[in-house]
Amino acid sequence: TGAAGVGKTRLGEELLAAANGRPTARAVGHPATRQIPLGALAPLLPADLSRELGTGEDDRSALFHRARRHLAERPEGHRLLLLVDDVDHLDATSLALLLPLTMERQVFLVATLRTGSTLPSVVASLLKEGHLSIETEPVLSVDEVGTLLHRVLDGPVDTDAVDRLAEVSGGNLQVLREIVLRSQEQGTLVLEQ
């Protein structure tokens, strides 16, 4: 969890990159797919998953179980490392699917949630049962901004500039990045030899 732009998605992507050849996947919750059953997970599922299925209750149940089986089946017994960005925007079917997959350790779930967003009941249940834990991605302190800028810009940054950049960005990594790039483009942040 964390504010917009603090690096939640980037942290999740780094976890996927460090999976050492194990199966990984990424899904993104979005208001546009929230009304579509399995909308966010559709790119991870076979296109013919719903073939020969209608819209009745039994058909929806069959769709759920086919999707569950597909996501659980992995070569060599490795479970899928699944990053779900903006988990609070998943449709109800996708959320319901994550519950047994995570509880039965068929999927290792990493999910992002913006601070202030409503925690989906499925995620709350997984937290309560100890299948998930919450880690909050904090904003950067002034010292962290200074260290980061020193490393990224290949040299020390004036203390007043660090203080100002930390204040203006609010310690938000995405905002800080945009300010630094814009300042470099405009020539207001320059390297002095």
Side-chain angles (χ1 to χ4, degrees):
T1 64
V6 296
K8 301 178 301 296
T9 299
R10 177 58 187 249
L11 185 58
E13 289 170 347
E14 291 296 324
L15 289 170
L16 293 181
N20 295 327
R22 294 182 182 230
T24 63
R26 181 172 186 246
V28 178
H30 192 277
T33 60
R34 199 173 200 167
Q35 301 304 315
I36 304 168
L38 299 175
L41 298 180
L44 310 179
L45 301 170
D48 65 349
L49 188 74
S50 61
R51 186 182 316 146
E52 300 172 9
L53 292 178
T55 58
E57 191 68 35
D58 289 341
D59 294 316
R60 287 195 308 244
S61 177
L63 178 63
F64 176 89
H65 289 293
R66 286 181 184 181
R68 179 179 174 183
R69 187 172 40 254
H70 177 77
L71 291 172
E73 291 175 354
R74 295 290 148 203
E76 302 174 26
H78 293 299
R79 65 180 164 163
L80 178 67
L81 171 57
L82 177 60
L83 169 61
V84 178
D85 209 6
D86 295 326
V87 70
D88 56 312
H89 290 298
L90 287 186
D91 61 277
T93 305
S94 294
L95 283 167
L97 189 59
L98 292 179
L99 185 66
L101 289 171
T102 304
M103 290 179 75
E104 295 167 6
R105 306 250 189 267
Q106 294 171 322
V107 165
F108 187 96
L109 178 62
V110 176
T112 69
L113 182 73
R114 187 176 291 184
T115 301
S117 297
T118 302
L119 189 66
S121 61
V122 165
V123 175
S125 178
L126 290 169
L127 285 165
K128 180 181 176 190
E129 298 294 324
H131 298 286
L132 289 179
S133 63
I134 291 182
E135 299 294 328
T136 301
E137 188 67 21
V139 295
L140 300 172
S141 69
V142 174
D143 289 340
E144 290 169 330
V145 168
T147 300
L148 180 63
L149 290 173
H150 185 139
R151 289 182 179 170
V152 170
L153 300 174
D154 293 325
V157 179
D158 178 74
T159 305
D160 290 337
V162 169
D163 290 344
R164 181 75 177 129
L165 288 168
E167 178 186 343
V168 171
S169 70
N172 184 302
L173 186 58
Q174 185 176 17
V175 174
L176 178 64
R177 180 180 184 276
E178 294 302 320
I179 293 170
V180 168
L181 289 174
R182 178 64 68 153
S183 297
Q184 288 177 314
E185 289 171 4
Q186 295 176 344
T188 57
L189 181 63
V190 295
L191 176 64
E192 290 183 357
Q193 301 276 342

